[in-house]
Amino acid sequence: MHHDSASAGDRGRPHALPDRRALAAALPEPGTWQPFPRLDRNRAGLDTAVREAADRHLATPWPTTSPTTAPTTPHLLERLAAATLAAHLTGEQRFFDDVVHGVRAVCDRSSRCRPGPRRPCPDLLSTETAALLAWVDHLLGDRVRELRELIAGEVRQRVLEPYRSTGRAVHAGVVPAALQLAASREQLLDVLDRTVHHLGHLLGRPPGDGFPAAAVTETLEWIRLATGLDGFSRPELVEVAERPPATLMSPHQSVDIIEKSDLTPHLLYLLGTRLELPEVRRHALALREPHPLPAATSLGRTLLDLADPAWSRDIAQDQPGFPYPARTWLPGSEVLTVRRLPGGTEGVFLAVRGGHNGGQPSRGDVGTVVIGWDGEPLVIGAAHHNVPVVNGHHQAAGRRHRAVDVSCDIGRHGAGLTLDLAPAYPDEAGVRSLRRRVLLDRAPGWVVLRDRWDLTAPASLHWPFMLRHEPRPVAPGELELVHGVVLAFPEGLSVEVSEVRPAGHGAPLFRLDLGHPEPGTTGVVTFTVRLRF
């Protein structure tokens, strides 16, 4: 039975994002939006944590600078966010004073608007600055009356007026800034309409490496809170939400054949809630931090965390831990993960990737596999390219060098991926077809990898495997990878093992190279990772 990852959270709802007409009918008047009727002030230790975060900076004076010198830095924004939250939650005058100094210092810094082909275009840092200034205005209001005109003027001039949606991560900051400080309803509508238009482009392609999951999730939530319009019901977002639980091998070990998600625990929980994915919510709760003040990258994300009553309720309860789903197929990334025993780390785990060799840097690992046992990686993936070397040629860079004829089969007794790797290689390799089939058979708990090739001019064929432990020969055609677990292969293959020192630090890895002495123009080879009998 084929498992369609998108169907779990689809629930039959429309996939369209809100259009301009729907936004115009639902948007509040600028400055009237009240997104947080209540923050969770009852989290144990929150007041202390907020004071400590703001107090760390009080001994250091804010920098004084002319408008033509250094731009705003993330450090200044972090300090201003800490002071703003402390002033709002504690009401202590020293934090209000620090906010006043901080806002003036930030507004005195040079604009981060870069010139574009037609007009200046705000970048990520300028929109995050605008959002933070908007939250100062929203949370502190008349307590910082002398700043309100300055804040509104700076945000409108530097961000809202020149706004064009050109950066993938720009939206999360510009939306709350516009909702609170837009000069007119028309300006607010223009900003949100542009944002939604660009979100449509992002969500119109597979959510592979580089997809700004956190920014998209936060932006859609701001729009939902402001308008009641739900843009979450997209199959691409289901895949984004399912990626973290799917690729977790053990509590501190995720597979590296796909880019790590940038979602905070709360944003992942929020996405799982909106998409009705209980395993995703459970995974997010298992990631929660014991610290009462969330480690968010912006004040807006901190406020979303503190204002979510369901999240506050759930993190206060004992949680059952990570869900470790039985299998997940991520069609946009062409990644399959499957475990022998769902719900835990015991036994064998398999991850395999199709996709392409585009991106920066090029991965060169289409068809790579990761195999774990009892939560420990045995065969390591992406950075080490566990794919065949054909006639001395590795895979080539670029999106056109990809897997084709990709087929995922999922059933009660296991799951597998079949794909043709031939287009991933340069023409000089002479690969007419290289069909790889990777299967986890849950009954015996084996992983079977089978390569079938058709070459124009065979000279050499090698299979590299990067291993966590040094393999030990135990029988002809068998190497022990860890106690009791072996890699079995045809006895006629040559075997070479070399130690590899990772750059910088870390325990050594071991490169196993299995070579075929006479591959012929066509042939097949099978590798099996299994318990040794």
Side-chain angles (χ1 to χ4, degrees):
M1 176 179 164
H2 182 76
H3 171 71
D4 182 359
S5 202
S7 64
D10 197 346
R11 305 290 187 251
R13 293 176 295 180
H15 293 162
L17 293 168
D19 59 17
R20 187 179 180 91
R21 179 177 297 179
L23 289 171
L27 278 173
E29 291 298 318
T32 64
W33 183 45
Q34 296 293 326
F36 305 126
R38 175 182 166 278
L39 295 183
D40 180 11
R41 299 168 181 260
N42 297 318
R43 288 192 195 175
L46 179 61
D47 280 357
T48 299
V50 167
R51 284 189 177 90
E52 289 177 350
D55 279 336
R56 282 197 297 268
H57 302 290
L58 284 181
T60 305
W62 286 92
T64 56
T65 173
S66 70
T68 58
T69 58
T72 303
T73 66
H75 172 73
L76 294 183
L77 299 187
E78 177 187 346
R79 175 175 179 177
L80 180 55
T84 301
L85 188 59
H88 177 66
L89 291 179
T90 71
E92 295 180 15
Q93 187 60 43
R94 60 196 177 112
F95 297 127
F96 282 95
D97 293 342
D98 202 43
V99 169
V100 171
H101 292 305
V103 168
R104 296 194 185 282
V106 166
C107 290
D108 281 346
R109 314 291 277 191
S110 63
S111 172
R112 293 284 295 186
C113 294
R114 298 185 303 234
R118 292 188 298 274
R119 58 184 181 272
C121 166
D123 70 356
L124 171 60
L125 193 57
S126 66
T127 58
E128 287 301 320
T129 303
L132 176 53
L133 293 174
W135 290 124
V136 171
D137 182 87
H138 179 81
L139 294 175
L140 306 185
D142 287 341
R143 290 290 299 270
V144 288
R145 186 181 294 107
E146 69 271 31
L147 298 178
R148 302 192 77 174
E149 184 176 346
L150 171 66
I151 287 173
E154 290 291 306
V155 170
R156 291 166 184 168
Q157 176 186 356
R158 296 191 183 191
V159 174
L160 300 184
E161 290 295 335
Y163 177 73
R164 286 190 306 133
S165 187
T166 58
R168 289 185 298 183
V170 89
H171 321 293
V174 78
V175 171
L179 284 163
Q180 295 173 82
L181 296 175
S184 65
R185 186 176 179 83
E186 189 67 20
Q187 184 185 65
L188 172 60
L189 179 59
D190 286 345
V191 168
L192 265 68
D193 188 42
R194 287 171 183 157
T195 298
V196 170
H197 176 76
H198 194 63
L199 282 172
H201 284 292
L202 281 174
L203 293 170
R205 60 176 188 259
D209 286 359
F211 184 84
V216 169
T217 302
E218 185 182 347
T219 300
L220 288 172
E221 183 65 5
W222 293 135
I223 293 172
R224 191 193 70 84
L225 288 172
T227 67
L229 301 174
D230 183 1
F232 280 97
S233 53
R234 305 275 301 204
E236 303 93 336
L237 290 177
V238 175
E239 176 165 337
V240 168
E242 289 183 334
R243 181 186 297 181
T247 56
L248 188 71
M249 188 184 301
S250 65
H252 305 291
Q253 185 74 51
S254 293
V255 298
D256 62 351
I257 61 175
I258 191 170
E259 187 177 65
K260 185 177 180 181
S261 172
D262 66 346
L263 289 165
T264 64
H266 174 250
L267 286 179
L268 181 62
Y269 175 91
L270 190 152
L271 191 56
T273 299
R274 300 289 173 256
L275 295 169
E276 302 173 25
L277 298 170
E279 283 192 341
V280 173
R281 288 200 302 271
R282 178 178 164 185
H283 185 90
L285 288 167
L287 288 171
R288 72 195 190 283
E289 301 158 344
H291 198 279
L293 185 61
T297 55
S298 71
L299 181 54
R301 290 182 187 175
T302 299
L303 295 171
L304 278 176
D305 184 305
L306 294 174
D308 186 337
W311 171 250
S312 293
R313 180 195 65 233
D314 286 349
I315 62 174
Q317 300 172 357
D318 292 335
Q319 300 301 326
F322 292 106
Y324 297 112
R327 66 261 176 186
T328 307
W329 168 234
L330 305 174
S333 308
E334 294 184 354
V335 168
L336 170 69
T337 65
V338 57
R339 1 183 155 249
R340 185 190 183 195
L341 299 174
T345 62
E346 183 181 354
V348 66
F349 169 91
L350 168 68
V352 58
R353 172 184 180 266
H356 58 78
N357 284 327
Q360 297 293 329
S362 173
R363 302 174 68 103
D365 66 340
V366 172
T368 200
V369 298
V370 172
I371 300 172
W373 205 281
D374 291 343
E376 179 184 8
L378 298 183
V379 179
I380 301 169
H384 305 289
H385 303 176
N386 294 317
V387 292
V389 179
V390 184
N391 292 328
H393 293 278
H394 296 271
Q395 294 183 4
R399 292 183 66 92
R400 71 184 185 91
H401 294 289
R402 61 176 304 116
V404 295
D405 298 331
V406 180
S407 175
C408 175
D409 301 305
I410 293 181
R412 286 191 308 161
H413 300 296
L417 193 67
T418 303
L419 59 171
D420 189 348
L421 308 183
Y425 289 85
D427 294 341
E428 298 78 19
V431 184
R432 280 194 286 255
S433 74
L434 178 50
R435 294 197 62 80
R436 168 161 284 194
R437 168 71 172 162
V438 189
L439 171 71
L440 190 153
D441 189 335
R442 297 172 75 182
W446 291 1
V447 171
V448 179
L449 187 158
R450 180 174 291 115
D451 283 344
R452 188 182 301 274
W453 63 88
D454 183 355
L455 309 178
T456 59
S460 65
L461 195 53
H462 290 263
W463 288 268
F465 295 93
M466 195 64 67
L467 308 177
R468 174 57 59 89
H469 305 289
E470 184 173 11
R472 183 176 69 91
V474 291
E478 285 190 3
L479 293 171
E480 189 174 58
L481 304 181
V482 72
H483 182 67
V485 180
V486 298
L487 169 65
F489 53 90
E491 294 183 22
L493 300 185
S494 63
V495 180
E496 292 185 12
V497 177
S498 56
E499 184 177 308
V500 177
R501 290 281 177 179
H505 61 279
L509 304 176
F510 296 89
R511 178 187 170 96
L512 168 65
D513 189 276
L514 301 176
H516 201 304
E518 296 179 355
T521 55
T522 61
V524 61
V525 67
T526 301
F527 306 95
T528 306
V529 174
R530 57 172 173 77
L531 288 171
R532 185 165 187 254
F533 301 108

